[in-house]
């Protein structure tokens, strides 16, 4: 199975470094047919998806505790729905679960805001100001282009 890292290396070698399929096959140990298949326009379904390994490090229990700490305030059902949505998205982390939970519990924005405020003057686009910033006049009165970035 080819990984995203290997696919990136193959594409870099072929497109940027202009290496031949034979040279890439020799360096990577993959067959030329495999390389040819991966260098063609890939189908979205055929391209390997990058997935991080789920961590089982020292903080895994802490992340679970963070999610469980939201149960008293948000409710068990809401936390379970947020966890299911995070699992479906493929990005399972405590931060993602809490973010989904916050979006589920957020109050909806109003459709429109009624106000009695009125503008006294309509805004004007002052394009001549920008033209003045772009050009300057030298001592002899000739227009000189100003270079702001070099």
């Amino acid at each position: 199975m080819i990984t995203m890292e290997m696919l990136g290396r193959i594409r870099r070698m072929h497109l940027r470094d202009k290496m031949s399929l034979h040279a890439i096959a020799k360096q990577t140990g993959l067959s030329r047919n495999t390389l040819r298949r991966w260098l063609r326009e890939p189908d979205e379904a055929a391209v390997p998806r990058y997935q991080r390994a789920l961590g089982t490090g020292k903080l895994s229990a802490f992340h679970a505790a963070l999610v469980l700490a939201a149960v008293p305030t948000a409710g068990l059902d809401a936390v379970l729905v947020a966890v299911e949505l995070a699992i479906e998205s493929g990005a399972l982390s405590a931060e993602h679960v809490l973010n989904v939970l916050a979006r589920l519990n957020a109050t909806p924005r109003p459709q429109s805001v009624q106000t009695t405020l009125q503008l006294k003057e309509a805004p004007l686009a002052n394009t001549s100001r920008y033209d003045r910033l772009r050009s300057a006049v030298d001592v002899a009165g000739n227009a000189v282009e100003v270079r702001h970035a070099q």
Side-chain angles (χ1 to χ4, degrees), residues 24-43:
I24 297 172
K26 209 172 195 182
Q27 190 171 354
T28 60
L30 297 171
S31 72
R32 286 180 296 193
N33 289 336
T34 302
L35 294 174
R36 215 174 270 117
R37 185 176 72 229
W38 286 104
L39 289 172
R40 277 191 228 127
E41 284 297 320
D43 298 334

Side-chain angles (χ1 to χ4, degrees), residues 34-122:
T34 302
L35 294 174
R36 215 174 270 117
R37 185 176 72 229
W38 286 104
L39 289 172
R40 277 191 228 127
E41 284 297 320
D43 298 334
E44 290 299 321
V47 174
R49 293 192 53 188
Y50 177 74
Q51 292 182 351
R52 291 181 188 224
L54 294 176
T56 56
K58 295 178 183 177
L59 292 178
S60 295
F62 177 70
H63 290 297
L66 283 176
V67 172
L68 290 175
V71 171
T73 57
L76 181 62
D77 292 334
V79 171
L80 290 176
V81 168
V83 169
E84 287 177 13
L85 289 173
I87 289 172
E88 285 176 7
S89 72
L92 185 60
S93 68
E95 292 83 11
H96 190 208
V97 171
L98 295 175
N99 190 2
V100 169
L101 185 62
R103 280 197 232 149
L104 290 173
N105 291 334
T107 57
R109 287 194 233 167
Q111 293 295 333
S112 64
V113 178
Q114 300 295 329
T115 181
T116 58
L117 298 175
Q118 298 294 323
L119 288 175
K120 290 184 180 180
E121 293 180 23

